[in-house]
Amino acid sequence: MTRDAETTVDLLGLLPEEAEARLLEHFHARGERAYRVRQVRAWLYERDAAAFEEMTDLPARERHALAEAFSLAAPALVQAARSADGTVKHLWRLGDGELVESVLIPADNRLTLCISSQAGCAMACVFCATGWSGYRRQLSAGEIVAQFRGARRWARENGRGPITNIVFMGMGEPLMNPKGVFPALTLLNQAYGVGARRITVSTVGVVPGIRELARRPEQFRLAVSLHAPNHELRQRIVPIERKHPIPELLEALREFEAAGGRRITFEYTMIDGVNDSPALARELADLIGQFQAHVNLIPYNPIPGPPWRPSPPQRLRAFAATLHARGIEATVREPRGRDIAAACGQLRAEHETSPPRPFLQLQQALAGSAG
Ligand code: SAH
């Protein structure tokens, strides 16, 4: 007998000390010893159990009692798509049928996991497939952490190494989901043991969220999707620029830096003839020269919709060289997992049944400006 997941507490979404307290209370009420809590904790945070049934060092009656009292929101793996370059994309089905994706990206001696923070996204960035498909709902902390648990378990069972880094660069805008993302950060760091400096929150520039992250004592890393060095151009690419314009964004970034001296990554999607001129590179260097910055240049991955192309390699190199000449570190990010639609901005459940959001106006405006 298991109860409906909605009427029971998802153990995976509770902060570590809260989970511990609830488990202790649960076992205490049943006349069980405290070491049962340690057993469950190991299954939760080290062995990535997907169901209480798997906790085989507990007697069957205790496993049943746990399933009565709590739930484990372990998403179902719908698909694991493997790229020729070693990248693996997982499609997960959540309890209510929503689909989210995470991506494992091996590089050198790292294994980076890219996770989603929302089902869909409301930010409507013009070049992003998730943005075009619209916003569905927030992910809970448990659902965010579940992607890590599921991917880690998959990696273990498929002979991949341990996950060394986590980036919030999948679907969604993490800082628009503080109730899910901030506890998830605590969990990943404290319960699952991923170093804060190995976890990067990537934001399009949600200023209140950046301030909240700055106030955290841990050294979580921040990446900012800038894409343009001035208001005029940026508002055409990322609509949030109208709400939190560049000066306000920079102010929040200064706070973030002052709070812990942490290096900030600026992401810059390179779109041919739109934001990739040497003059804009100089403008960018002037804008972010005040920070200990690193710029990630991402060649635009064409998606259906905008009439754009990626910057050609020589333009990417020239842009990077202009930044280097002004003392700004910059690297060109290789697109990974293109053959399985796992590359930046391509994460979008192809299984989605809902109609695309009406971005037609925007599309028309773009088509007009391109012609
Ligand atoms: N909401 C977060 C995470 C988004 S995805 C953010 O905006 O930072 C991570 C990165 O991929 C962002 O920098 C995003 O702008 C970029 N991206 C999205 N679509 C892309 C595309 N089609 N080509 C290249 N980069 C893209």
Side-chain angles (χ1 to χ4, degrees), residues 8 10 57 67 83 131 142 145 161 180 182 198 200 240 242 247-248 273 279-280 289 295 302 305 344 354 357 363 367:
T8 54
D10 176 18
D57 53 358
S83 161
V145 162
F182 283 101
R198 294 176 175 272
T200 301
I240 199 178
R242 288 171 215 145
E248 192 191 335
L280 288 169
V295 179
C344 270
S354 70
R357 270 239 303 232
Q363 194 173 15

Side-chain angles (χ1 to χ4, degrees), residues 114-115 117-118 121 123 125-131 168-175 201-206 223-227 237-238 266-271 296 298-303 333 338 343-347:
C114 175
I115 54 178
S117 55
Q118 299 179 314
C121 187
M123 297 291 95
C125 300
V126 182
F127 52 65
C128 177
T130 309
F168 281 78
M169 294 185 187
M171 293 165 68
E173 167 49 50
L175 296 182
V201 176
S202 178
T203 180
V204 70
V206 179
V224 179
S225 298
L226 198 60
H227 308 312
I237 304 175
V238 292
F266 290 94
E267 296 170 273
Y268 198 104
T269 295
M270 296 283 287
I271 312 165
N296 251 335
I298 317 169
Y300 165 60
N301 282 313
I303 60 160
R333 198 197 283 169
R338 267 201 169 154
C344 270
Q346 292 183 344
L347 292 188

Side-chain angles (χ1 to χ4, degrees), residues 24-34 36 61-62:
L24 198 61
E25 195 186 340
H26 167 84
F27 284 120
H28 185 75
R30 298 181 50 77
E32 287 288 319
R33 305 261 305 276
R36 295 278 182 227
R61 60 158 205 283
E62 291 310 319

Side-chain angles (χ1 to χ4, degrees), residues 63-96:
R63 283 181 261 149
H64 291 151
L66 281 167
E68 281 274 290
F70 304 102
S71 63
L72 284 188
L77 178 60
V78 179
Q79 189 193 11
R82 300 169 192 238
S83 161
D85 69 13
T87 301
V88 184
K89 179 172 80 168
H90 290 117
L91 179 67
W92 309 103
R93 180 178 290 111
L94 307 177
D96 65 349

